[in-house]
Amino acid sequence: MVMASVTTIASHLTSTFLYAPEFCRLSQSLHTSQRPCTRKSVSGTISANIDLKPPPYALDALEPHMSKETLEYHWGKHHRGYVNNLNKQIEGTELDKMSLESIILASHNKGDILPAFNNAAQVWNHEFFWESMKPGGGGKPSGELLELINRDFGSFEALIQEFKLAATTQFGSGWAWLVYDLEDKKLVVLKSSNAINPLVLGSYPLLTLDVWEHAYYLDFKNLRPDYISTFLDKLVSWDAVSSRLEAAKVSIEGK
Amino acid sequence: MALRTLATRKTLGAFSTFPQQLRGLQTFTLPDLAYDYGALEPAISGDIMQLHHQKHHQTYITNYNKALEQLDDAIAKGDASTAVKLQSAIKFNGGGHVNHSIFWKNLAPTKEGGGEPPHGSLGWAIDQSYGSVEKLIAKMNAEGAAVQGSGWVWLAVDKELKRLVVETTANQDPLVTKGPSLVPLIGIDVWEHAYYLQYKNVRPDYLKNIWKVINWKYASEIYEKECP
């Protein structure tokens, strides 16, 4: 079992795999929704095409574990802010009209990060986060996902411990992830700082938890460990993780 | 201003089961604030001040002390790998203690001079370098708002070049990581915990308002010591 921080897998950044067409196809399979081609603002001034996608549930649907107030700020202000700022940044540039994943890879620029990266990656990260939760979440995974967890971590409990450790020890702002490592073909727990995500780290994201303070401060104040436990006990959607694992395997085998 | 930082000298024997010779290890305790938690309102709420001081700063100190004890132990045993592995915990938590200790001194209630612009040589140096205090504040607010994720924005004096500098640091990196001759005059915490309960996502409003309780007297004292 492997837990890696972003610094220890920085060597993946030099991999040419990241920028190969195979990977772009793979990353596009992560989102099942349609993305309309253009979005016009009321004033008609911005036509860059990145959407603010709502969570797949009402903003109060995760109560009492994640409050409506948190969702109103986290989705309604933070996520919305990333979308609006990204659209302003890419308007009229070569990034305009590209898919979100392509914008992320292009602006990550093999580690020599360009200005649009932070907004683009955070838009993606937050969409992925909402989809990683569901009302009545928690419980245990099953089927092939559970088999792989047992194979790669020893047990479900061991995965939980490792995920909790990653989320607790990500210092400052960032994210904890469960990913499928495409080279080693195994499940891995990662943590990343600020906006960095597995798309630029050479692995296939399956689950994420936002550990920026804005994600939990209104509900849990400084008690990040309680937030992490609540996420795992009450909110995590193992169904979403299983679907993503399916998509990962299809993408890899279809290469 | 009576701000006391308490440090206690504890022997390693009190924390370790190893029967080594006694070593003195200085650990740290939470410094008191020179004002009540509610005294900086409405610029910074009493709830935030209490959480920030009693929970966040205290946690940095607790974890810093733990890391120092582990480091002391590793050094005594000649365990280089462990000593090196502990460096990030030292930097995070030690940096958090250093930075927040400065921060509490950077703030003062308005009735004790908080917000009153600098006079004397610091005021003059600011006018020379930035045009005016207002322009300096605008610059610091812009840089503070632009910090990605967590960090700090600083007004510093370069003690070698005798020059004012505006700088930002990430996470709890102390200012000295940006330049060994940088001495902090004012640091503003832009981690979300510093403002979220009151200002939510609107960091620029927090930055605009904190200047009402910035303790320019303290900043001037430090400046005059470095640039007499």
Side-chain angles (χ1 to χ4, degrees):
Chain A
M1 61 194 93
V2 174
M3 182 177 88
S5 74
V6 63
T7 51
T8 61
I9 43 181
S11 58
H12 282 297
L13 295 174
T14 58
S15 165
T16 54
F17 173 78
L18 282 174
Y19 297 89
E22 291 88 348
F23 188 77
C24 289
R25 236 194 356 262
L26 222 152
S27 66
Q28 278 153 23
S29 68
L30 282 161
H31 288 293
T32 53
S33 69
Q34 299 299 320
R35 191 178 296 285
C37 292
T38 57
R39 177 185 73 85
K40 292 191 168 58
S41 72
V42 170
S43 62
T45 49
I46 305 285
S47 63
N49 67 334
I50 302 302
D51 264 351
L52 174 64
K53 203 173 147 208
Y57 36 76
L59 296 186
D60 62 356
L62 302 182
E63 294 221 341
H65 313 297
M66 185 177 284
S67 67
K68 179 183 177 195
E69 197 193 10
T70 290
L71 267 293
E72 281 172 341
Y73 281 102
H74 200 176
W75 174 77
K77 304 284 185 187
H78 291 272
H79 185 173
R80 185 188 303 273
Y82 290 125
V83 169
N84 291 345
N85 290 335
L86 177 63
N87 282 327
K88 275 187 241 173
Q89 262 174 333
I90 66 177
E91 170 92 1
T93 72
E94 68 270 16
L95 296 176
D96 202 354
K97 311 292 186 272
M98 280 168 73
S99 74
L100 183 60
E101 290 82 359
S102 302
I103 296 171
I104 291 169
L105 290 175
S107 59
H108 183 258
N109 197 30
K110 307 194 186 194
D112 189 15
I113 291 173
L114 302 174
F117 175 76
N118 193 66
N119 288 317
Q122 285 290 81
V123 171
W124 193 96
N125 296 341
H126 282 87
E127 281 185 18
F128 196 74
F129 178 47
W130 309 133
E131 292 163 4
S132 295
M133 295 187 287
K134 65 175 193 183
K140 279 186 77 158
S142 57
E144 184 169 15
L145 174 59
L146 183 58
E147 278 172 32
L148 286 189
I149 288 172
N150 288 332
R151 184 195 72 183
D152 296 334
F153 293 94
S155 66
F156 174 65
E157 290 70 29
L159 163 65
I160 293 299
Q161 285 319 305
E162 213 170 296
F163 192 86
K164 281 185 175 177
L165 184 64
T168 312
T169 60
Q170 174 47 41
F171 193 76
S173 309
W175 303 77
W177 305 87
L178 176 65
V179 304
Y180 189 71
D181 185 301
L182 299 159
E183 273 182 44
D184 297 344
K185 298 211 173 13
K186 52 193 280 209
L187 298 177
V188 172
V189 166
L190 299 178
K191 57 188 179 182
S192 66
S193 113
N194 293 353
I196 296 282
N197 67 27
L199 296 183
V200 303
L201 297 175
S203 45
Y204 194 99
L206 300 176
L207 173 66
T208 196
L209 173 60
D210 188 349
V211 292
W212 283 60
E213 285 177 325
H214 65 241
Y216 59 90
Y217 215 81
L218 295 180
D219 294 337
F220 294 93
K221 311 284 191 303
N222 59 304
L223 297 174
R224 193 195 283 189
D226 288 0
Y227 161 68
I228 297 165
S229 293
T230 299
F231 170 79
L232 290 167
D233 291 342
K234 307 287 188 189
L235 293 172
V236 63
S237 169
W238 293 114
D239 294 340
V241 180
S242 286
S243 307
R244 290 157 176 174
L245 179 63
E246 278 311 300
K249 302 187 91 194
V250 162
S251 290
I252 295 163
E253 284 152 21
K255 203 164 41 125
Chain B
M1 178 175 355
L3 186 65
R4 304 177 308 279
T5 300
L6 302 173
T8 54
R9 198 157 278 281
K10 290 183 172 24
T11 60
L12 186 61
F15 293 93
S16 167
T17 56
F18 296 101
Q20 297 164 324
Q21 72 267 35
L22 291 173
R23 302 163 59 86
L25 175 67
Q26 179 164 306
T27 56
F28 297 89
T29 55
L30 188 65
D32 289 338
L33 303 190
Y35 39 83
D36 292 337
Y37 290 130
L40 303 182
E41 295 198 350
I44 308 179
S45 73
D47 284 350
I48 286 182
M49 288 305 295
Q50 182 165 3
L51 270 167
H52 204 173
H53 182 243
Q54 284 183 2
K55 304 291 182 188
H56 291 275
H57 190 175
Q58 178 62 66
T59 300
Y60 290 128
I61 288 171
T62 304
N63 291 337
Y64 183 39
N65 286 341
K66 214 181 328 182
L68 285 175
E69 282 155 20
Q70 289 170 339
L71 181 65
D72 202 48
D73 193 55
I75 289 171
K77 280 152 60 182
D79 182 353
S81 315
T82 301
V84 170
K85 202 170 70 152
L86 286 166
Q87 294 312 304
S88 61
I90 301 265
K91 187 172 167 191
F92 295 160
N93 294 297
H97 172 52
V98 165
N99 293 339
H100 286 86
S101 300
I102 296 167
F103 188 49
W104 310 133
K105 297 187 232 187
N106 286 154
L107 303 170
T110 47
K111 61 176 162 59
E112 287 167 37
E116 205 181 289
H119 308 296
S121 56
L122 177 57
W124 185 88
I126 289 172
D127 288 346
Q128 288 299 303
S129 300
Y130 300 100
S132 64
V133 171
E134 290 70 34
K135 291 204 178 118
L136 167 64
I137 287 174
K139 181 179 171 66
M140 286 184 71
N141 287 352
E143 298 210 14
V147 169
Q148 305 284 7
S150 309
W152 292 74
V153 59
W154 303 92
L155 174 67
V157 59
D158 185 316
K159 65 183 177 193
E160 302 298 324
L161 302 176
K162 306 294 187 207
R163 203 179 46 164
L164 293 176
V165 170
V166 170
E167 195 48 269
T168 59
T169 53
N171 298 332
Q172 294 298 352
D173 295 356
L175 180 61
V176 69
T177 58
K178 282 290 177 95
S181 48
L182 294 179
V183 176
L185 301 176
I186 293 173
I188 299 178
D189 190 348
V190 294
W191 282 62
E192 286 169 330
H193 65 240
Y195 60 89
Y196 207 79
L197 292 180
Q198 185 175 356
Y199 293 97
K200 307 294 192 303
N201 58 303
V202 194
R203 192 193 283 177
D205 280 359
Y206 159 69
L207 288 168
K208 206 171 61 170
N209 282 291
I210 198 173
W211 293 100
K212 299 174 186 164
V213 290
I214 287 291
N215 185 359
W216 283 106
K217 264 190 285 196
Y218 172 76
S220 291
E221 278 164 27
I222 304 293
Y223 180 78
E224 282 160 21
K225 206 166 62 131
E226 298 298 336
C227 302

